[in-house]
Amino acid sequence: MPVCMTACLFVPAFEASAHETLGLDAPKPEIAMTPPMGWNSWNKFACNIDEVKIRGAADAMASSGMKDAGYQYVVIDDCWQKDRAADGAIQADPERFPSGIKALADYVHSKGLKFGLYSDIGVKTCGGRPGSRGYEFQDARTWASWGVDYVKVDWCYTGSSEASSSYTIMAKALRASGRDIVFSICEWGDNKPEEWAAGLGHLWRTSGDIRDSWDKDEGYSHSFLWILDHNAGLWANSGPNHWNDPDMLEVGNGGMTDVEYRSHFSLWAMLAAPLIAGNDLSNMDKATLDILTNKDVIAVDQDKLGQQARRVAQNGDTEVWVRPLTGGDRAVVLFNRGADAKTVSVDWDALQLPTGLKASVKDLWSKSVQKGVKGSYSAEVAPHGVVMVRITPTV
Ligand code: GLA
């Protein structure tokens, strides 16, 4: 154990193995008290990105109504990096990002939005670009100097590294960077992140990647239904400034119907998931925009109590999910996985409300309101659809 005198203030970027000595002496910034909202390039564009596309996404976010609905972060995922300079500084791909990352961050900020980037805690990113291993402090300082507000850090090429100590180094580096940066841990749920990630990051992935499919899984890529089921039991781990991340949205990418995308968006809001759109914002139809900007559903996602929903009933193809909200309201999703329309009900018991209590029930998609509802609520739910309501006790 080194004796820490003044020299310890100047820990070189390469001493990754000294993680035991890197206490998290600065607190985690409170910058994700509700789940982060934004856009990320990966689900639509994968490695086929450049500064024109990222600027286009920022323009569209600002002008389409998404910014007004609460979306903030414009995040470049993998493949923006090219190599490192002789002094170790990470370099953007000069062909795809000729103006440099700082100029792009400035542009995003000029739209009143925030800017995010991707890296990896191993030696390479999943796309084979330079990772941050051994460069954590240098990278964090570089990102801070560029004006980065959000960083997603992946788990490829990590060999036999231990997950919590690897991410501890990055947490420390970010906190020492001089800028408040949302830390999105992308470790795929492999090493029980619920036991260590909350103290380090603001959100952590709970599984491998989402794919744009209702129910077709493919190896490491999981369908909407698989990820939903995987997250159902994780509700106790999530809360303000430390969120379960069931992965980014596929709404608008074409692999599901609009009914299915409404289910995906509604249930992500019930899971208190980060709402990170993953479609082409510059080229989306009205149905997609209407889903992504449903303010009532977003208000559930962003509810300050920060409690993830629980699945309180399962009956064949139908389910009931309940999320307690600030002030005693309940968000409820009646969900139908089946191929035929079904009537689904929820009793006040399941909401932990007295049976005799009257409530007003607002359908968050049709916007219709029923007043004086007592004891239970039922609705017909379309195949693969949801009815999502907000229940407000009225005494
Ligand atoms: C991993 C992550 C994805 C994406 C890609 C980029 O698969 O889980 O979300 O960032 O890497 O290569």
Side-chain angles (χ1 to χ4, degrees), residues 155 161-164 167 187-196:
W155 181 238
S161 310
E162 203 271 317
S164 70
Y167 283 103
E187 173 273 354
W188 320 321
D190 282 359
N191 298 278
K192 299 199 170 74
E194 63 278 9
E195 291 178 3
W196 48 266

Side-chain angles (χ1 to χ4, degrees), residues 233-315:
L234 304 178
W235 56 271
N237 306 330
S238 207
N241 220 31
H242 59 98
W243 305 102
N244 284 324
D245 174 9
D247 207 356
M248 304 171 291
L249 295 162
E250 291 285 8
V251 176
N253 280 337
M256 292 187 249
T257 65
D258 289 339
V259 169
E260 292 169 343
Y261 282 139
R262 270 195 285 280
S263 298
H264 173 24
F265 194 69
S266 302
L267 283 153
W268 257 227
M270 294 297 276
L271 293 176
L275 294 180
I276 308 292
N279 58 311
D280 182 356
L281 299 187
S282 317
N283 186 20
M284 62 181 153
D285 59 19
K286 183 169 180 313
T288 300
L289 181 64
D290 287 349
I291 293 170
L292 290 172
T293 56
N294 182 322
K295 291 188 179 167
D296 290 315
V297 176
I298 291 171
V300 171
D301 181 76
Q302 295 289 301
D303 185 79
K304 291 200 164 33
L305 202 56
Q307 270 199 35
Q308 182 171 324
R310 294 170 72 168
R311 180 159 54 192
V312 299
Q314 271 179 292
N315 180 13

Side-chain angles (χ1 to χ4, degrees), residues 42 77-78 118 126-127 152 154 186 188 205 209 220 248:
W42 185 256
D77 207 279
D78 204 352
Y118 161 101
C126 298
K152 168 179 169 182
D154 217 337
C186 181
W188 320 321
R205 279 273 294 279
D209 294 2
Y220 174 81
M248 304 171 291

